[in-house]
Amino acid sequence: MGTPGGDLIRVMAAGDRDAFARFYDRYAPFVFPFVLRIVRDRADAADVLQDVFWEAWRGAAAYDSARGTPEAWIITRARTRAIDRVRAVRRRGETFVAAVDEATVGAPTPPGGDAAVRAEERQLVASALAQLSEAQREIIELAYYSGLTQREIAERLAQPLGTVKTRIRLALARLREAVTPT
Amino acid sequence: MSHEPFETLAAVYAAGALDGDDLVQFEAHLPGCAECQAAVREAQDTLARAMLSARPQTPLPAVREALVRRVERTRGAGRRAWLTWAAATAVVAAVAAGFTATWVAVRYEARLGQMARETAAVKERLTRNEAALQEQVALYRGAVELLRDPATRVVDLRGQGTAASASGRMIWNDAGGGHLFVAGLPPAPAGKTYALWTISGGTPRAAGLFGVDASGRSAHRIAPEVARGAVGVFAVTLEPEGGTPAPTGPIVLASK
């Protein structure tokens, strides 16, 4: 998916709406499950998706192929927006904690979200991430999906900070092999 | 410092997990290091490819439609002359907008909170109602099951004394227990409750306590364990709350 995506962004930057539609059709079906995986709510995921592609349209002129692939450009943006959304939702929950806590939060939301979301998680596991060991996948998920920092991960996994850093590096190296066509 | 540690930091940075001093140090190092820039680029691309390798899923068409509409609206309105003087008033507008936005945000948050509370209340009420209905259905189902058994008897109870206008009907099975349905019984006074007795061979046996609703009705289930042997007479008395081992109060309902 190398250059064609980059070409689309360049044409988009010139104001070509059809290029935007093609760009959306090309990437949205991949960005959507990724965002959904982070925010775990279809309505939220649709909102985030719209924000991400709207920003892509507005920011197309600033895209620099020397600084990254189109895939990294859109996914990095999607990750930031999705994690922002999760944090905003959490803050909102905390603001009204007294009212919402007992009845809404405490009650019937199963830990893994609804069945559809769980099915999507399984699909994602069937992707390149499946090539990682359980421990490597966990650390990538904590960092990339949950947005935890190295210190937070170290605390969560009760491991030394140095170990966490090394594990992230090794997991990325393994992932790189998995996504590199042989 | 050797360059090796930076290669690890580049990976953590690309995964979005770098923090603290490491982050400060790495961000100071990055602009001058082509090697690290390449490492970050590559790691980000790796992550993107991995994330995009999942099975695609087309989002709702509404998202695409909304975006396309939005894109069509904005383009063309780009560089117009009025934008020049509009810029002059923009500062004033921005300040006003800032206030408005804050106000709207506060209102919005408050409204959201209210809606969340209302939703929670409705949910709770529905859950309660559903539980009550389920209980009632279970009760009626039990009664119907009991009626299917040829050994089941239906016994009428008549109001006695001050409760002469009350009536009751007992569906009874010597092996399976029973259901008592009562109507027209005044609510028990404070500190009192109604007690059902099964009497066989002149000996009353406690068969549970029950109250009535505001309309004087009640449905009371008698567990199979209580049904031990043939029952001759059913009676309901008014007893102190908590019940008594043997009837002490006035009889309000009795079978013949």
Side-chain angles (χ1 to χ4, degrees), chain B residues 142-201:
Chain B
V144 170
E145 279 301 312
L146 215 55
L147 280 170
R148 286 182 160 172
D149 186 340
T152 298
R153 291 180 286 151
V154 178
V155 182
D156 283 331
L157 283 78
R158 295 221 177 123
Q160 312 282 319
T162 54
S165 61
S167 63
R169 181 158 289 173
M170 172 67 87
I171 301 170
W172 183 258
N173 186 301
D174 284 335
H179 286 271
L180 174 67
F181 297 94
V182 168
L185 208 56
K192 301 272 186 179
T193 182
Y194 290 112
L196 173 70
W197 307 92
T198 60
I199 302 164
S200 38

Side-chain angles (χ1 to χ4, degrees), chain A residues 37-125:
Chain A
R37 173 67 207 273
I38 296 177
V39 303
R40 288 158 181 265
D41 178 277
R42 284 181 169 277
D44 282 345
D47 277 356
V48 170
L49 194 71
Q50 206 179 123
D51 289 349
V52 167
F53 279 89
W54 175 246
E55 281 181 18
W57 166 249
R58 303 296 300 237
Y63 171 71
D64 178 1
S65 62
R67 295 183 58 195
T69 59
E71 287 77 18
W73 187 66
I74 194 78
I75 273 290
T76 306
R77 196 178 289 267
R79 174 183 179 264
T80 308
R81 288 288 156 264
I83 289 176
D84 283 351
R85 171 61 66 114
V86 171
R87 291 189 180 138
V89 168
R90 203 174 294 152
R91 265 200 305 279
R92 209 157 65 209
E94 280 162 8
T95 312
F96 306 110
V97 74
V100 182
D101 218 27
E102 320 101 347
T104 317
V105 181
T109 311
D114 61 26
V117 173
R118 279 199 300 279
E120 271 129 30
E121 284 176 11
R122 277 197 300 277
Q123 281 179 17
L124 201 68
V125 170

Side-chain angles (χ1 to χ4, degrees), chain A residues 25 29 69 99 124 149-150 165, chain B residues 17 19 22 45 54 57 64 117:
Chain A
D25 290 339
T69 59
L124 201 68
T149 68
Q150 53 182 8
K165 289 188 212 172
Chain B
D19 65 2
D22 285 341
D45 184 44
Q57 191 185 351
R64 189 185 195 277
R117 280 191 294 276

Side-chain angles (χ1 to χ4, degrees), chain A residues 24-25 29-30 42 49 54 57 66-67 69 96 99 120 124 127-128 145 149-151 165 169 172 176, chain B residues 4 7-8 11 17 19 22 41-42 45 51-54 56-57 59 64 70-71 74-75 109 112 117:
Chain A
Y24 179 88
D25 290 339
F30 295 97
R42 284 181 169 277
L49 194 71
W54 175 246
W57 166 249
R67 295 183 58 195
T69 59
F96 306 110
E120 271 129 30
L124 201 68
S127 72
Y145 289 123
T149 68
Q150 53 182 8
R151 262 166 240 279
K165 289 188 212 172
R169 183 180 173 183
L172 274 175
R176 186 182 162 194
Chain B
E4 224 279 333
E7 286 160 26
T8 302
D19 65 2
D22 285 341
R41 216 161 41 228
E42 183 163 55
D45 184 44
M51 301 310 147
L52 298 181
S53 68
Q57 191 185 351
R64 189 185 195 277
R70 217 167 150 190
V71 164
T74 52
R75 272 290 140 160
E109 291 264 290
L112 266 177
R117 280 191 294 276

Side-chain angles (χ1 to χ4, degrees), chain B residues 35-217:
Chain B
E35 203 179 326
C36 280
Q37 286 167 17
V40 168
R41 216 161 41 228
E42 183 163 55
Q44 281 176 340
D45 184 44
T46 294
L47 281 162
R49 281 166 187 268
M51 301 310 147
L52 298 181
S53 68
R55 192 187 303 173
Q57 191 185 351
T58 306
L60 283 179
V63 178
R64 189 185 195 277
E65 284 158 20
L67 274 167
V68 167
R69 266 202 310 277
R70 217 167 150 190
V71 164
E72 273 166 9
R73 265 205 311 274
T74 52
R75 272 290 140 160
R79 294 187 196 89
R80 286 196 186 155
W82 57 265
L83 275 181
T84 321
W85 65 260
T89 54
V91 175
V92 178
V95 171
F99 280 119
T100 312
T102 310
W103 185 77
V104 168
V106 168
R107 300 273 306 165
Y108 180 66
E109 291 264 290
R111 179 78 189 116
L112 266 177
Q114 192 194 346
M115 281 168 67
R117 280 191 294 276
E118 284 169 7
T119 310
V122 168
K123 213 164 171 179
E124 199 188 314
R125 204 161 60 232
L126 279 176
T127 311
R128 257 201 324 268
N129 286 353
E130 199 196 340
L133 273 176
Q134 295 274 12
E135 206 172 302
Q136 211 161 18
V137 166
L139 190 80
Y140 291 154
R141 187 177 292 153
V144 170
E145 279 301 312
L146 215 55
L147 280 170
R148 286 182 160 172
D149 186 340
T152 298
R153 291 180 286 151
V154 178
V155 182
D156 283 331
L157 283 78
R158 295 221 177 123
Q160 312 282 319
T162 54
S165 61
S167 63
R169 181 158 289 173
M170 172 67 87
I171 301 170
W172 183 258
N173 186 301
D174 284 335
H179 286 271
L180 174 67
F181 297 94
V182 168
L185 208 56
K192 301 272 186 179
T193 182
Y194 290 112
L196 173 70
W197 307 92
T198 60
I199 302 164
S200 38
T203 313
R205 183 176 287 152
L209 308 173
F210 64 92
V212 295
D213 64 18
S215 64
R217 291 169 164 272

